[in-house]
Amino acid sequence: MPGGSGAAGAVLSARGTRLNKKGRETRRQVLREAVLCLSEGTPESVSANAIAQRAGVTWGTIQHQFGDVDGLWAALLDFVAGHADLRTIATPDHPDIADRVEAVIDMLWGFLDLPGAAAIYQLRLSLPHQAAQLEESYPQTARAIAHWDVEWTDLCERCFRGLGLPADRLMRVRHFLPGALRGLYNERNLSTYTDSHEARRGLMDALSAYLSS
């Protein structure tokens, strides 16, 4: 697709033309700098112009590579997804529910420490929070976010496969677990006396009891 991969894995510009070696490297440089810029979490970090300046390219280059801001954000989400491919993550196979829950929470917590996770969080904070408005204003970005949600659903089901858990309870865990962990993670980074380790342990115990009952 434009701004992404075409036939035989070719990397395409926003106009659908194949990028040469220099163009592909420029694209990677812009996306790497976008991840670092967004992960810093400053108010001006969610800025295509700031990212272009940081990457040493012009706005015309951003347009050639991604088309517009929507194309840039969608490419950023795909770029991070390519480095944290949820489909290739080795999932836990412990027979005990509590051990399985602990492994999943530890895995997700580790991901939150990565620059890519911080970048996605800052980006999503700046985007419209209503799905309809997001899809209207940033259609490519909305599709990329939806793809992340599909991959998370598949990962969650694989992580708990074989335990015979009720489908409705597993569905609820899938919906609230990312937000719950993000809340604990953010709380850890504030001036607080909250013990994030004990908080995660409490979440593990609660989830294990919920899924076991």
Side-chain angles (χ1 to χ4, degrees):
M1 67 179 181
S5 298
V11 181
L12 307 179
S13 72
R15 294 182 178 179
T17 57
R18 182 175 298 191
L19 296 174
N20 58 23
K21 182 178 179 181
K22 182 179 180 181
R24 294 193 300 271
E25 179 52 40
T26 297
R27 183 184 182 85
R28 286 192 293 268
Q29 174 68 10
V30 170
L31 292 173
R32 285 194 295 264
E33 291 300 328
V35 169
L36 294 176
C37 186
L38 286 168
S39 67
E40 292 172 357
T42 58
E44 61 273 12
S45 65
V46 189
S47 164
N49 285 324
I51 290 167
Q53 283 188 330
R54 183 163 177 156
V57 302
T58 65
W59 177 246
T61 299
I62 298 294
Q63 290 179 306
H64 174 69
Q65 289 278 356
F66 309 104
D68 55 14
V69 173
D70 183 30
L72 174 61
W73 297 151
L76 171 69
L77 287 160
D78 290 343
F79 181 73
V80 174
H83 286 78
D85 192 343
L86 302 185
R87 295 168 298 180
T88 64
I89 293 177
T91 53
D93 57 1
H94 311 291
D96 183 74
I97 291 177
D99 289 340
R100 197 81 67 95
V101 167
E102 181 175 1
V104 170
I105 287 180
D106 286 345
M107 174 181 65
L108 294 177
W109 189 262
F111 177 69
L112 290 175
D113 278 327
L114 300 178
I120 291 175
Y121 177 67
Q122 292 301 327
L123 173 60
R124 295 190 72 171
L125 279 179
S126 73
L127 293 171
H129 296 170
Q130 298 298 320
Q133 186 180 355
L134 175 66
E135 291 165 4
E136 179 181 357
S137 302
Y138 299 91
Q140 295 180 68
T141 305
R143 286 193 293 271
I145 292 173
H147 179 71
W148 269 89
D149 289 341
V150 169
E151 295 295 328
W152 162 238
T153 297
D154 177 70
L155 176 61
C156 192
E157 290 177 351
R158 286 189 288 116
C159 284
F160 292 102
R161 184 173 295 160
L163 295 178
L165 300 177
D168 59 338
R169 296 200 174 201
L170 184 57
M171 176 269 295
R172 293 179 189 124
V173 168
R174 171 172 60 83
H175 281 302
F176 77 66
L177 185 54
L181 282 175
R182 169 57 69 180
L184 294 179
Y185 187 85
N186 289 346
E187 185 68 20
R188 185 193 68 170
N189 295 327
L190 298 174
S191 299
T192 178
Y193 298 103
T194 299
D195 187 322
S196 63
H197 176 76
E198 289 299 322
R200 291 201 313 278
R201 174 52 58 189
L203 179 60
M204 292 176 192
D205 291 346
L207 283 184
S208 298
Y210 178 68
L211 291 173
S212 300
S213 62

